[in-house]
Amino acid sequence: EVDIGVGPITALKLSSKLQPKLVSKGQVLFQEKCSVCHKFDQKLIGPPLANVTQRRSPEWIMNMILNPERMIRENPTAMALLKDFDNVEMENQNLSKSEARSVLEYLRHVDSKL
């Protein structure tokens, strides 16, 4: 069974083809909101994100971005990550669903290059 996490995203269909506009918007958002705690190839405050789109479902990633508070209290995978990363809770960046979707597309883009 696929772990979709806890939050507003219950189903998400993604095209196999990346959407360049979303990738560009997501890159800007990632650099502004996420890069303080996340890199792709090394542990920072949060886990490294290389290949995250292979390890987690799109719904899980979106729910973690949109709903980190509930995820770390109710989702076993997020709870384990919290423990592995010194109980530092992910800050809610208050992104909209469309902004979170752009960040997901950027993560997909980076993973496609690895």
Side-chain angles (χ1 to χ4, degrees):
E1 186 177 310
V2 176
D3 182 1
I4 65 167
V6 180
I9 308 302
T10 56
L12 186 61
K13 289 273 187 259
L14 299 176
S15 167
S16 57
K17 193 171 155 92
L18 290 169
Q19 299 177 43
K21 283 183 181 165
L22 288 182
V23 171
S24 296
K25 183 178 176 189
Q27 182 174 9
V28 170
L29 286 164
F30 183 87
Q31 288 167 343
E32 286 175 2
K33 306 274 189 178
C34 313
S35 64
V36 171
C37 295
H38 294 283
K39 297 288 178 237
F40 286 92
D41 56 350
Q42 67 190 55
K43 175 183 174 178
L44 274 183
I45 295 164
L49 295 179
N51 295 311
V52 69
T53 60
Q54 276 90 55
R55 290 179 281 131
R56 308 280 179 256
S57 70
E59 296 89 350
W60 192 96
I61 294 168
M62 291 272 295
N63 282 323
M64 193 66 198
I65 293 169
L66 293 169
N67 196 23
E69 303 90 351
R70 273 191 70 204
M71 285 285 285
I72 59 179
R73 283 173 185 72
E74 299 177 31
N75 178 264
T77 304
M79 290 161 72
L81 282 169
L82 179 66
K83 198 172 178 182
D84 289 347
F85 286 85
D86 305 319
N87 290 313
V88 176
E89 293 188 14
M90 182 169 145
E91 291 278 325
N92 191 328
Q93 299 298 316
N94 298 306
L95 297 183
S96 68
K97 284 183 188 175
S98 68
E99 288 171 329
R101 177 66 185 86
S102 296
V103 171
L104 172 61
E105 198 72 356
Y106 173 63
L107 297 174
R108 292 178 68 212
H109 165 75
V110 171
D111 284 352
S112 75
K113 303 286 186 217
L114 297 176

